[in-house]
Amino acid sequence: DAKTTQPPSMDCAEGRAANLPCNHSTISGNEYVYWYRQIHSQGPQYIIHGLKNNETNEMASLIITEDRKSSTLILPHATLRDTAVYYCIVRPLTSGTYKYIFGTGTRLKVLA
Amino acid sequence: DAGVIQSPRHEVTEMGQEVTLRCKPISGHNSLFWYRQTMMRGLELLIYFNNNVPIDDSGMPEDRFSAKMPNASFSTLKIQPSEPRDSAVYFCASSGTGYPLQPQHFGDGTRLSIL
């Protein structure tokens, strides 16, 4: 079973920031939070991951709450090409823990 | 950089036929994963290889499914005989080693339709 909870869908206006929440209230101290997205007819695309500090890369920012029970993926200036299903995954940081358990994700629609 | 390459992109065949899906992982990656995606069950891990050795095949649905990784740059997933309920999108992913655990990178999948 997925260890994360996400809203099933969200809309965002083009050019605005898209904030995608994820609840992972049972996260353990050694578990990272990973975000992927899946654009229609493509494979899941890695976006970002983090443990407890906020992270930023060229695609997005990841904000993890201090208690680590939830996080938010931020796409700072959403474009129509960001329309996709976004998955939040928790994964232990120990060798051999290779499994991703994908939940149902959030379907983000960016509106023109 | 070349990503994970899967072939064919689409496959349509009749039930009972043998189906072979192919995957070339990213060069230098030593872990390879096969997933299946359906509307009903979402994305499911079928099998995981590390250094060409199958580590976990608990997700393989039944004996009709088999996977091999003869070398570090090639893997196959075979279904024999195929059935309509095998229709799905099959993804291959690869990852490297290192600390922290490297993210998995996915191919664009093979869309399989069994008639």
Side-chain angles (χ1 to χ4, degrees), chain B residues 2 24-25 32 35-36 47 51 54 57 65 71 76 95 98 110:
Chain B
K24 178 179 171 56
L32 184 138
Y35 289 83
R36 178 172 68 175
I47 188 169
N51 292 325
D57 65 356
F65 286 69
N71 57 62
T76 60
S95 70
T110 295

Side-chain angles (χ1 to χ4, degrees), chain A residues 38 43-44 87 100-103, chain B residues 35-38 40-45 89-91 106:
Chain A
Q38 188 172 22
Y87 296 98
Y100 283 173
I101 300 177
F102 286 84
Chain B
Y35 289 83
R36 178 172 68 175
Q37 185 173 34
T38 61
M40 290 294 294
R41 300 175 66 89
L43 267 161
E44 303 174 286
L45 178 66
V89 182
Y90 291 80
F91 291 103
F106 287 74

Side-chain angles (χ1 to χ4, degrees), chain A residues 63-81:
Chain A
I63 308 297
I64 301 174
T65 58
E66 191 169 342
D67 64 8
R68 304 209 321 119
K69 294 187 176 190
S70 65
S71 60
T72 301
L73 179 75
I74 301 172
L75 308 177
H77 305 286
T79 70
L80 298 179
R81 289 176 295 180

Side-chain angles (χ1 to χ4, degrees), chain A residues 86-102:
Chain A
Y86 287 77
Y87 296 98
C88 169
I89 302 164
V90 296
R91 182 187 186 191
L93 180 64
T94 53
S95 62
T97 53
Y98 44 85
K99 282 190 176 182
Y100 283 173
I101 300 177
F102 286 84

Side-chain angles (χ1 to χ4, degrees), chain A residues 12-58:
Chain A
C12 176
E14 187 178 22
R16 304 298 293 267
N19 297 285
L20 294 105
C22 179
N23 181 288
H24 32 79
S25 58
T26 60
I27 194 169
S28 300
N30 68 342
E31 289 183 318
Y32 271 62
V33 179
Y34 285 73
W35 282 84
Y36 279 75
R37 73 180 182 184
Q38 188 172 22
I39 297 170
H40 183 62
S41 299
Q42 297 181 19
Q45 178 189 23
Y46 166 74
I47 301 173
I48 199 168
H49 71 282
L51 182 63
K52 56 183 177 181
N53 298 320
N54 298 338
E55 302 287 345
T56 296
N57 63 20
E58 66 278 5

